[in-house]
Amino acid sequence: MSVYPGSEHGELNQEWRKFLLTVGFVAVAVGTTIAWRTPATGYEVSVYTGTPPLFWVGASVGFVSAAVVTLASCRDRVAGMAIGLGLLTTISIGALPVVRSYRFYGRADSMTHLGWAAELLAGRMRFGDLFYPGGHSTTALLTESTGIPIERGMILFAALYFALHVGFIPLVAKALFEDRRLTAIAAFSGFMVLPVNQISSGLYFHSYSMAMLFFPVFLYALVKHLTSKDESGPLSGRIDGWNVVLGVLGVVLIFVHPQLAVNVVILLGTLVLLHLVLRNRQDLFVSDLRPVYGVFVLLTVCWVAWVLQFEQTLNVGERVLLATYDTLFGAAEAGGGDVSSGADSAESVGATLLELFVKLFLVPAVYSLLGFLAVVLSLRTSLITTPQSDRPEEDEPTGRSVVTYFGSAGLVLGPFFLAHLSGPVSHLFFRHYGFAMVFVVILGAVMIHRIGTLIPDRQLLAAAKLVALGLLAAALTLSLLTAFASPYIYNASHHVSDQRMSGYETAIEYRGEGVQWSGIRRGPGREFDAIVPGVGMYSRPEVTGASVTNDTELRLLLDGAVNEVRYLPITKGDIDREVTAYREIRYSESTLTSVDDHPGVHHIHDNGEFNLHYVTPRNATTGASGAG
């Protein structure tokens, strides 16, 4: 449908859109090629500033081209190609650690996962040894079949999960209503990557994050199953392709991360309960959906059978129950310990809570409100049907029923998620927040489409499209600026440079047995997990756990106020993180860069970014101790 009357104007508009689309594809291709040919040569405290500016110019042109072409008309193949351009641009951004040839991307948990994947690849660890072996085993298979290093294989695998996420968000919307306008809105909403919050999830190898990114694939199969025709007859005749696909994807989620899988089980259980209660209510439109009894039973049995093998299931369950009890009876710390401490840390570096809210949660909050309105509206009136709808009017209630079902599931899952907001499991709340945002993005897109249908006048619609373009640009910018940790949000990149990795490899290989290691902010236990062969599950050497948590403790260590010799690794990443990202909140730049000036501190290894120091005790009890 052209925005211009007449065939001549329509053809002119079509050519103009194709030309703009070509410019967008070329810009993204050139920018990505430049980024590929400009690999990281050392630690980058920000993926954004480390990546060549021409990449961001190309990505911006790609998004603008895709948005303008789609807004001009979203009911033809050119619009489909525009959405594909937006998808390609988003994936190129999310896959920057791969494009920029990072040695590895992911601190903390990701380093431990790296060690476990290496153990699986070497045959020293079995599939059943891990609580969530799905990502590790698949990565080991990928690296063994392609011959790429395990570190590269892991960041490539995380990028593939990200690609699945942004690709299936619009497919879920399409399965709901078969409306091209809604599909386009959902696609651009998915490009914002709202489930990633950098608090408990990110675009690195992290089992829960990858399960969350994979969830839209399961959700697509669920919507297709719910909206498919329910076959009558014996049980064997009622099992079709979507039953099987849904069951397989559910089992995959259990293996990728059982914690997210329990959310899926609760979701399916809610749908089962709703169907049992409403199936005989012919006056309710929500009674038309196909039941999920078999899939619910299958996944419940598989989940229970898998998680009961692991002691940590009972530990986490107990902590959730304690947190729920504390919340109900007022014993929990307000807002959760992790949330409160995070707020205190932000304020200490000059960031206000309002600033952090705008950067991290403004766009998700707007979508949450829109999603809530979509659910409320689904109870009262038609959501999608317009004169230009692609789906027959009589089929619209099916998608409307699914929206209502999702809203009802939110009423069940909401209290479960809030139980994690306080007490000993407060760090898990934002994981569930990410899971919920998958629904919010889709439901928010439904509401945006509904608002668009309320603009009848063509001139007003043209003005609304300009406003929409501006809002989209702002929302994409705000959202994608937090897709990676960076000083923009008072954090540092999770980049693990080749120098950092090789430095630790050399230092660990030639270490003195029994010598205690200290580290800036934390000990090098994660590096031992990733590098030392045969470490296995949670069995790193005890000497790795000594951390130096602030400037005062670091000065005491350097002045020899310890009773034994210490290894002290300091990397460029440590300095950039503490000075640039954390604004010297714990450590001063002068202390971190003057370690060698202290007597008794021996600089024993340096590769340009990794410095290993051997610190000897020099106090009244032990006297001076030489390097050994």
Side-chain angles (χ1 to χ4, degrees):
M1 181 181 68
S2 172
V3 294
Y4 300 105
S7 59
E8 183 178 348
H9 285 155
E11 291 176 2
L12 179 62
N13 179 50
Q14 193 84 329
E15 293 301 318
W16 170 79
R17 293 170 68 222
K18 289 180 180 179
F19 172 76
L20 190 58
L21 203 57
T22 302
V23 171
F25 274 109
V26 171
V28 173
V30 171
T32 304
T33 301
I34 291 173
W36 175 267
R37 295 177 64 87
T38 315
T41 57
Y43 175 75
E44 296 178 345
V45 69
S46 170
V47 174
Y48 301 100
T49 58
T51 301
L54 286 177
F55 170 83
W56 298 111
V57 172
S60 300
V61 172
F63 276 132
V64 170
S65 300
V68 171
V69 170
T70 306
L71 281 171
S73 175
C74 58
R75 298 175 58 82
D76 55 16
R77 292 183 178 180
V78 178
M81 294 178 65
I83 293 174
L85 172 59
L87 178 65
L88 181 65
T89 306
T90 307
I91 293 174
S92 68
I93 294 174
L96 275 174
V98 177
V99 175
R100 298 288 320 291
S101 298
Y102 281 7
R103 170 73 177 266
F104 190 64
Y105 185 79
R107 302 194 308 261
D109 285 357
S110 297
M111 295 293 285
T112 300
H113 292 311
L114 172 58
W116 292 345
E119 293 296 285
L120 277 173
L121 183 62
R124 290 185 293 266
M125 187 179 288
R126 298 173 302 172
F127 182 89
D129 292 337
L130 287 170
F131 186 54
Y132 26 62
H136 307 77
S137 57
T138 311
T139 300
L141 179 63
L142 173 68
T143 57
E144 188 171 24
S145 60
T146 59
I148 61 177
I150 186 69
E151 302 98 322
R152 292 279 294 169
M154 294 184 77
I155 61 175
L156 176 60
F157 196 68
L160 291 175
Y161 268 59
F162 174 71
L164 287 175
H165 177 84
V166 294
F168 271 85
I169 289 291
L171 291 180
V172 174
K174 185 175 185 295
L176 275 173
F177 292 106
E178 284 289 347
D179 187 283
R180 290 181 178 177
R181 292 180 177 177
L182 172 60
T183 302
I185 295 171
F188 281 93
S189 300
F191 299 160
M192 299 175 193
V193 204
L194 298 185
V196 173
N197 53 59
Q198 296 303 333
I199 298 176
S200 291
S201 60
L203 300 181
Y204 38 70
F205 194 101
H206 177 253
S207 295
Y208 189 91
S209 297
M210 292 193 302
M212 179 187 72
L213 293 174
F214 185 75
F215 176 62
V217 182
F218 177 89
L219 195 59
Y220 172 74
L222 176 61
V223 171
K224 295 294 287 187
H225 171 83
L226 290 172
T227 57
S228 62
K229 184 178 180 181
D230 191 5
E231 301 291 340
S232 59
L235 179 62
S236 59
R238 303 180 69 175
I239 298 177
D240 62 5
W242 287 117
N243 292 98
V244 176
V245 170
L246 200 56
V248 170
L249 292 176
V251 173
V252 168
L253 280 174
I254 292 173
F255 288 143
V256 175
H257 206 295
Q259 188 179 65
L260 186 135
V262 74
N263 296 345
V264 171
V265 170
I266 295 173
L267 168 66
L268 294 178
T270 304
L271 301 188
V272 166
L273 181 62
L274 286 172
H275 193 270
L276 287 173
V277 172
L278 302 175
R279 60 179 176 175
N280 294 322
R281 292 290 303 275
Q282 299 300 322
D283 57 323
L284 295 178
F285 67 92
V286 293
S287 62
D288 301 331
L289 299 181
R290 188 175 181 180
V292 290
Y293 303 144
V295 177
F296 168 67
V297 172
L298 171 66
L299 296 188
T300 301
V301 171
C302 290
W303 185 85
V304 171
W306 179 256
V307 302
L308 289 184
Q309 304 175 69
F310 301 93
E311 183 180 352
Q312 65 196 91
T313 302
L314 299 178
N315 294 335
V316 173
E318 180 182 8
R319 290 159 63 194
V320 172
L321 290 176
L322 287 174
T324 304
Y325 176 86
D326 290 343
T327 301
L328 292 175
F329 294 97
E333 184 177 350
D338 285 8
V339 178
S340 299
S341 63
D344 293 340
S345 297
E347 291 176 350
S348 65
V349 297
T352 65
L353 289 180
L354 177 60
E355 176 192 353
L356 287 179
F357 173 81
V358 170
K359 289 180 176 180
L360 291 173
F361 301 115
L362 177 60
V363 179
V366 171
Y367 267 82
S368 297
L369 176 60
L370 292 171
F372 173 77
L373 293 176
V375 173
V376 172
L377 188 63
S378 71
L379 298 173
R380 301 175 57 86
T381 184
S382 171
L383 284 169
I384 295 298
T385 302
T386 65
Q388 295 83 25
S389 179
D390 300 300
R391 171 175 281 193
E393 184 174 349
E394 61 268 18
D395 290 342
E396 195 274 341
T398 304
R400 182 181 165 199
S401 299
V402 177
V403 170
T404 306
Y405 265 31
F406 287 168
S408 302
L411 295 177
V412 177
L413 285 165
F416 175 65
F417 293 167
L418 291 175
H420 295 77
L421 185 57
S422 58
V425 291
S426 60
H427 63 288
L428 300 178
F429 169 75
F430 284 98
R431 292 187 177 187
H432 298 298
Y433 160 89
F435 175 84
M437 286 308 301
V438 176
F439 292 98
V440 166
V441 167
I442 297 167
L443 297 178
V446 171
M447 193 62 205
I448 292 173
H449 179 278
R450 177 63 178 176
I451 293 173
T453 62
L454 300 178
I455 305 175
D457 186 82
R458 182 178 292 272
Q459 292 183 342
L460 287 178
L461 185 60
K465 287 183 177 182
L466 291 176
V467 173
L469 183 62
L471 292 176
L472 176 62
L476 278 173
T477 301
L478 273 176
S479 302
L480 291 177
L481 273 175
T482 58
F484 296 103
S486 72
Y488 172 74
I489 54 173
Y490 304 95
N491 210 332
S493 166
H494 293 271
H495 178 203
V496 180
S497 66
D498 186 67
Q499 295 93 325
R500 179 186 178 93
M501 186 69 79
S502 62
Y504 268 109
E505 288 172 344
T506 301
I508 290 174
E509 180 180 359
Y510 295 102
R511 71 190 185 278
E513 294 296 332
V515 178
Q516 181 75 46
W517 292 65
S518 292
I520 302 301
R521 194 171 286 264
R522 62 174 177 83
R526 299 290 191 174
E527 285 74 15
F528 271 73
D529 289 346
I531 294 170
V532 178
V535 168
M537 295 287 292
Y538 311 114
S539 59
R540 70 173 70 119
E542 294 182 0
V543 296
T544 66
S547 60
V548 181
T549 60
N550 55 50
D551 219 42
T552 301
E553 292 184 5
L554 178 57
R555 290 180 179 275
L556 287 174
L557 172 64
L558 297 176
D559 289 338
V562 291
N563 294 325
E564 57 186 0
V565 295
R566 295 281 181 91
Y567 286 127
L568 176 64
I570 299 180
T571 68
K572 181 179 183 296
D574 293 329
I575 298 174
D576 286 350
R577 180 187 68 237
E578 299 302 331
V579 175
T580 304
Y582 294 158
R583 318 294 170 91
E584 300 182 270
I585 180 177
R586 291 191 184 182
Y587 308 86
S588 65
E589 182 178 9
S590 59
T591 302
L592 291 172
T593 56
S594 63
V595 172
D596 293 339
D597 297 340
H598 293 259
V601 177
H602 307 276
H603 194 172
I604 61 176
H605 182 62
D606 180 359
N607 67 4
E609 283 197 8
F610 176 90
N611 294 277
L612 183 65
H613 306 275
Y614 190 84
V615 184
T616 59
R618 296 173 309 284
N619 56 42
T621 303
T622 63
S625 177

